[in-house]
Every structure is written in structure tokens, then in C-alpha cells.
Amino acid sequence: ARVCEALAAAHRRGIIHRDIKPSNVFVARDEQGSEVIKVFDFGVARLPSQDNKLTRDGGLLGTPEYMAPEQLLARDVDGRTDLYAVGVTLYECLAGVVPFEGSFGEVLLKSSTQPVPPLRQKAPQVTAELATVIERALSREPDARFADALALAQALRKAAPATAPGSLLG
């Protein structure tokens, strides 16, 4: 949820990260010892004044396993593209694997033609409510995902409240 809040702040400024993945999310501690989530590596981020799709040389931006279908297909991206990557990251954290693996072409084909393997098949300990939230973030069509990062954060908090550490386990 805190990653989503960080993304919401970027999205409000017109910045789309385009490369959310576990290695770009860090948990740190502030001076009081409280956990602080940091989102790093905005190196391929789309700024408000930039092209949505391609680098200057025509190459796609991002890590294929975490890229939304519209990003893999070099279509327009928006904040919902980052929500897909959050979904992949959560899926991997809970299941130990990303939904679609392989070469760039294999990931492109699978993510644009196959349903996401149900999270609970890979991680049966995850509650149905949390699996539903993550799988919605992984919807092929952006319009089927959450409207924005704050809506995803709210759904995650409802599905796995911080007050119940084992709440994501059935």
C-alpha cells in the first residue's frame, strides 16, 4: 500500500515509473526507527513532457516480466501501467515466481493472450480476498485494473490489514 502511495505522488505530477519491481522497492528506517518505503530507479520513468511509449532509439522501456501488456505492445501508458507492475511484484513476493516467465517475446505473448495463473494455485496460503486484489491489478486491460494507485492501496489495506500480521495467510 505504501508503494502505491509513493506512486500516487509521482502520478499526480505526471510521472509514470514504468519499471516497478522488487529491486526498485526498498524498506528503510527513519530516525525514529519506523519503516519507510522507498521507490528507486526512476531512470526509465516517463515525465510529463515525454513520449509515452519508446526511447529515442525506438526500444521499449522496463523489465519484461513486470511490464503491463500495453507497455509490452508499445501502446500508451498511464498510472495503471505501474499498478500492473505492483501486482506482478506482489504476486512474486507471495508465490516466489512472476506470473509470466520467459524471453521478451514469450512474456509478451503470454501476458497478452493467456490469463494470469491464479495466485492461490501457486500460493494457497494467500487469502482469496488478497488474491482477488492482486489479480485485478494484473488485469490485461487497464480499464479492468484499479482506477489509480490510491484505490489499489485502499484495497490492499482492506484485504491485508496491518493490524493482523498473518492476515494474508488463510
Side-chain angles (χ1 to χ4, degrees):
R2 288 188 275 170
V3 170
C4 292
E5 290 165 353
L7 289 172
H11 294 166
R12 280 192 299 273
R13 291 165 180 80
I15 300 167
I16 310 301
H17 190 284
R18 297 193 293 188
D19 199 24
I20 294 295
K21 57 187 175 186
S23 63
N24 287 339
V25 176
F26 290 85
V27 179
R29 296 226 178 254
D30 64 16
E31 296 80 25
Q32 291 76 37
S34 299
E35 283 187 354
V36 178
I37 302 299
K38 305 247 181 201
V39 176
F40 286 94
D41 195 0
F42 281 78
V44 299
R46 187 204 75 194
L47 302 176
S49 62
Q50 293 179 327
D51 185 316
N52 280 349
K53 303 176 193 173
L54 305 172
T55 63
R56 285 187 205 131
D57 65 2
L60 287 169
L61 300 168
T63 305
E65 292 83 2
Y66 301 89
M67 292 170 70
E70 67 273 13
Q71 189 178 10
L72 286 164
L73 293 166
R75 295 184 179 148
D76 286 342
V77 300
D78 60 25
R80 296 169 299 177
T81 300
D82 285 343
L83 303 186
Y84 183 93
V86 169
V88 174
T89 299
L90 291 170
Y91 189 106
E92 182 180 20
C93 287
L94 294 167
V97 295
V98 292
F100 302 113
E101 297 179 288
S103 68
F104 175 85
E106 290 168 334
V107 171
L108 169 61
L109 182 63
K110 290 173 186 176
S111 71
S112 54
T113 63
Q114 295 178 11
V116 171
L119 177 57
R120 294 190 68 188
Q121 282 183 356
K122 306 270 184 181
Q125 76 281 8
V126 174
T127 64
E129 186 177 10
L130 182 58
T132 298
V133 170
I134 293 168
E135 289 166 2
R136 180 174 171 193
L138 291 168
S139 295
R140 183 176 298 132
E141 295 299 325
D143 288 343
R145 295 179 205 140
F146 292 88
D148 57 41
L150 292 178
L152 175 54
Q154 181 179 10
L156 288 168
R157 283 200 168 94
K158 184 178 179 216
T163 57
S167 65
L168 55 123
L169 306 178

